[in-house]
Amino acid sequence: MEDSITFEDLGLDEQILAAVARKGFETPSPIQVLAIPRLLNGEANVIARARTGTGKTAAFGLPLIQRLRGESDHVRALILEPTRELAVQTCREMDSFSDNGKPTNCVVYGGASIMEQIRALKKGADIVTGTPGRVQDLIERKKLDLSKIEYFILDEGDEMLDMGFIDDIENIFANANPDSRILLFSATMPAPILKIAQKFMGEYEIVEEEGIVEEPLLIDQKYWLLREGDKIEALVRLIDSNPDFYGLVFTQTKNDADTVSRRLDEKGYEAAALHGDIPQGQREKILARFRSKKTRVLVATDVAARGIDITGLSHVVNYSLPFDSSTYIHRIGRTGRAGTSGVAVTFVGPNERRKLNFMKARVAKASKGDLTEGEVPSIESVLEIKKAALLEQLRESVQKADLSNAEDFVQMAEDLCQEKDAKEVLANVLQAFYGEKLDKDRYDEIKKVAAEKGGREGRGRGRDRYDDTPREDQTRLYIQLGRRDGYNAREIADWFSDTLKIPGKKVDRIDVTTSFSLVSLPKEDAARLMEMASRDNSIPHIHVDTKAGGSRGGRRGPKGGDFGEERESRGGRGYGRKREREFGRDRDSKRGESDGFKKSRGRPNPHTATERSGSSSSYFKSKKAKEF
């Protein structure tokens, strides 16, 4: 059997080998085998192709620490990273490779005090790690001199290009020592990367791991078809059916990230949100808690998650379907790294099947794996998994228990079991402590998405929707709250739940447009809300929408009969027409408004619930004022 290469074989000295041992590194990764000897002994510039999670920081960090230990009065190396999180992480790693504070390290990035960073530079730094924007700023202020640097490391080169840093990078190169040795690390080799190489690197070597192009991502990729209102419940079941869940949940918007995190927190899960509005100090605390697994669920937007390098993730969840296949690959690539396996679950809305099908082929090619349909775990299966995990946890605790001070507990056990069956007593104790965790009522029902219908998606009866059949036990309501008031489907559900003090699962079939929403409620709750609206002026305009099946897709209801009477009595003639115009714009934008809609601009009845209750905009403003 062929002996494997060791760190000693790469030319590292005793001090660095001791640091390697402290870090717990046993054998070098392929990129470390390729890069470390070249950086220690050669002189050529190097482009190294390596994926995130394969030991890139050590590949350039260990040689730098070994070569730059001597005393110096100037900056000797610059490491550029695409994000502040990566910059901080890289600087921390560099510090960990040295046990005597030499060479000195300094990190600079936007979103933190530039004056503190300037003071740190004045104290002296051999190696500066930073983001392109802040480095460029410090150069322009003449606080960072790169004219004598010996090494210029550009890490995650393709990521920096994706984020639009090309101009900053070129400006930094123009201010750096032209004789410095340039090391460029990138997961891919797009044309702009090679253009930078040709412009600034002169002669260079390209090294890459063998088989990097063909190696598949070891990720089990599933998608679940879900209504928007069922996504939180599906996420809860996913977490509970995986006792060691440790993952990233991606949303499209900051608001969704906050909402999902809050909903999970309310249900007792250790979750946190990360997005562009989070201050840098708080971001670092959130990431520190996540790295230490004190927080096991991090809900993030794509921009906020760029550059986060956290190993050991079990799951990546696409709470919102990404806009394109490249974003999807970036997301799921955060699990299943460096030969480990992972799971990616994508939540897909009923009207997103066409978009999903469009992505599938591209995803299969890029990830070397198939994205297949899966099913949300049933409540029964989730509870069985939780029971098994709880039993295993209890067994381990009992086996590890220290019985040297157990006399008091033995006496308590005897007292509890007096004239009673010990098994029944233990069952009662377990129920008292764990009954809530295993309570079936913790979970809401998830309605199955209707089978795909014929015809072109997004038009008429062929629309791919969840079951639209009206239910006899429900009332369909119109409420004058919509997207322009800051509401999405989840927040509409929360409004009804909070107002009526009912579980969110009772708020069904939610349609949100620009200025109003349609919601189905149990008949008794709908009647109670209508009664509340007649007495409470703070409640937005609400009326019963008696059109069969709701109003999905902008289809018109009957012009006369009950619907016409309801429209006249509750909301004025203009409401029905406005409702049709809204769905004509929002749900059938390709078809546009019909001539009838354009000509018919009905005026609201002056004696309507709208005047009595106030407009949705005024309600929303008053709601926000109360919150703050």
PDB file of all heavy atoms in Angstrom, residues 83 136 278 435:
ATOM      1  N   THR A  83     -15.920  38.973   1.255  1.00  0.00           N
ATOM      2  CA  THR A  83     -16.859  39.426   2.275  1.00  0.00           C
ATOM      3  C   THR A  83     -16.153  39.649   3.604  1.00  0.00           C
ATOM      4  O   THR A  83     -15.076  39.110   3.856  1.00  0.00           O
ATOM      5  CB  THR A  83     -17.982  38.394   2.511  1.00  0.00           C
ATOM      6  OG1 THR A  83     -17.418  37.218   3.106  1.00  0.00           O
ATOM      7  CG2 THR A  83     -18.663  38.014   1.198  1.00  0.00           C
ATOM      8  N   GLN A 136      -9.349  49.544  -0.745  1.00  0.00           N
ATOM      9  CA  GLN A 136      -9.254  50.667  -1.677  1.00  0.00           C
ATOM     10  C   GLN A 136      -9.419  51.988  -0.940  1.00  0.00           C
ATOM     11  O   GLN A 136      -8.703  52.963  -1.213  1.00  0.00           O
ATOM     12  CB  GLN A 136     -10.321  50.510  -2.771  1.00  0.00           C
ATOM     13  CG  GLN A 136     -10.413  51.651  -3.769  1.00  0.00           C
ATOM     14  CD  GLN A 136      -9.190  51.765  -4.659  1.00  0.00           C
ATOM     15  OE1 GLN A 136      -8.357  50.867  -4.693  1.00  0.00           O
ATOM     16  NE2 GLN A 136      -9.065  52.882  -5.350  1.00  0.00           N
ATOM     17  N   ILE A 278     -28.706  43.846   9.368  1.00  0.00           N
ATOM     18  CA  ILE A 278     -28.136  43.490  10.674  1.00  0.00           C
ATOM     19  C   ILE A 278     -26.794  44.201  10.838  1.00  0.00           C
ATOM     20  O   ILE A 278     -25.908  44.063   9.989  1.00  0.00           O
ATOM     21  CB  ILE A 278     -27.914  41.957  10.773  1.00  0.00           C
ATOM     22  CG1 ILE A 278     -29.217  41.196  10.511  1.00  0.00           C
ATOM     23  CG2 ILE A 278     -27.328  41.588  12.126  1.00  0.00           C
ATOM     24  CD1 ILE A 278     -30.266  41.368  11.558  1.00  0.00           C
ATOM     25  N   GLY A 435     -44.017  15.418  27.514  1.00  0.00           N
ATOM     26  CA  GLY A 435     -45.309  15.293  26.837  1.00  0.00           C
ATOM     27  C   GLY A 435     -45.541  16.370  25.797  1.00  0.00           C
ATOM     28  O   GLY A 435     -46.065  16.107  24.712  1.00  0.00           O
TER      29      GLY A 435
END
